Every structure is written in structure tokens, then in C-alpha cells.
Amino acid sequence: MSKKVIQFAIMTVGVVLLIFFADEYKQYQQEKPPLPIIEVNNRVIPVHIGAYEWHGTDVEFTSPEHLLDPEPALSVNEFDQIQVNFQSEHSPMKLTVSEWDIPKQKRKKLLEEEGFSAPFNTWDEGFVYLVVDAVWKKGAATYFIKLSVTQYGT
């Protein structure tokens, strides 16, 4: 074989490998964080991803009421137990749940574990926006849920 044929073969293999690894890297960067499974009374609550940092991709934060405003809220009762879980292979190192305080536009921490009671608020006719923050070695993500909470005793 001539030297040119060998050089051409090496360059062809190099280009094919470059295309393959570029495609794999693109898929790696487009991967999103795992979604939690959030349940109340054996019903799964729809979860929406907010801000996240994952594989070098940063997505900015938006307030939960703007993201979830058109979405219907799941009806629950005050003090119903809410569970936040991830599949075992996706368990975060840290998990925090907060209530989004609409008038103050900030978070009010509820817990740093997997289960908690549904809170009731008076400023938005019983609608509650919850913020779930999860942190892994690979990155971090914020998730939002919207609930319509009926006050205990009403």
C-alpha cells in the first residue's frame, strides 16, 4: 500500500471518530435532569422543570406563577402528606422544598426531606406554588408544582 492510501485511511477514521464524539457530546449537553415523582394521596402531581444546570447547560429561573399560571392545579386538602421521590439511580445529594411566597416573590422553606404536609395560604385563594430544589454531582435543578389547597375545617 502506498503512503497516501494509509494517510487517507487514517484521516477518514479520524473524521468519523470526530463526528461520532461530537454527536455524543451534543446529546450529553442536551440531556435534562431527572424529574421527581411527587405524589399526594396516591395521585401523581404534574411537575414542571424550572431553572437547571446540567452537563454545562444553564437554564434561567422564572417564577412559578408565570410558568404554571395556565396549568390546572391539583386539588388537595391542607395537611395532606406530599411525597417527593426520584428513581433510586437518580437520588439527589440534597433535596429542599419551599413554598413560593407570591406577594414577596421569594421562597419560604418547608423541609429538607422527602415528605411534608400541604400548606395553605390566604393571599392566592388557596393556590400554592411549591419549589423543589435538587442537587447532584452532575448539577442542580428546580421544579415547580401548583396545588389548590382546601383549608382544614372548611
Side-chain angles (χ1 to χ4, degrees):
M1 275 214 253
S2 74
K3 202 177 204 182
K4 287 185 180 183
V5 172
I6 293 173
Q7 288 175 338
F8 179 75
I10 291 172
M11 286 182 15
T12 302
V13 169
V15 168
V16 169
L17 287 174
L18 181 64
I19 291 170
F20 174 76
F21 286 118
D23 186 53
E24 287 293 315
Y25 184 69
K26 182 179 175 185
Q27 287 179 5
Y28 172 81
Q29 282 193 312
Q30 290 176 344
E31 182 183 318
K32 290 185 179 179
L35 288 175
I37 299 166
I38 302 178
E39 294 180 290
V40 60
N41 299 330
N42 296 319
R43 293 181 295 167
V44 175
I45 301 171
V47 179
H48 300 272
I49 192 163
Y52 65 88
E53 180 182 319
W54 199 256
H55 297 306
T57 301
D58 289 332
V59 175
E60 294 297 316
F61 175 82
T62 183
S63 65
E65 73 267 23
H66 290 110
L67 180 69
L68 300 177
D69 192 38
E71 298 291 324
L74 181 69
S75 295
V76 299
N77 293 313
E78 184 179 21
F79 305 120
D80 279 353
Q81 288 298 302
I82 299 172
Q83 296 294 316
V84 179
N85 296 299
F86 285 86
Q87 292 179 350
S88 61
E89 67 269 14
H90 298 296
S91 292
M93 297 183 318
K94 183 176 181 183
L95 180 68
T96 305
V97 178
S98 306
E99 180 181 356
W100 182 252
D101 186 329
I102 294 173
K104 295 180 182 176
Q105 291 291 295
K106 67 178 192 176
R107 299 173 191 203
K108 178 178 140 189
K109 190 185 291 185
L110 296 175
L111 80 143
E112 288 192 21
E113 52 191 79
E114 290 147 1
F116 60 99
S117 296
F120 180 81
N121 74 56
T122 56
W123 64 77
D124 197 15
E125 301 172 0
F127 285 105
V128 175
Y129 299 91
L130 298 179
V131 182
V132 178
D133 292 301
V135 178
W136 299 265
K137 288 181 182 179
K138 292 181 179 181
T142 300
Y143 307 92
F144 302 125
I145 61 174
K146 180 180 179 182
L147 301 174
S148 174
V149 181
T150 303
Q151 190 171 21
Y152 182 75
T154 58

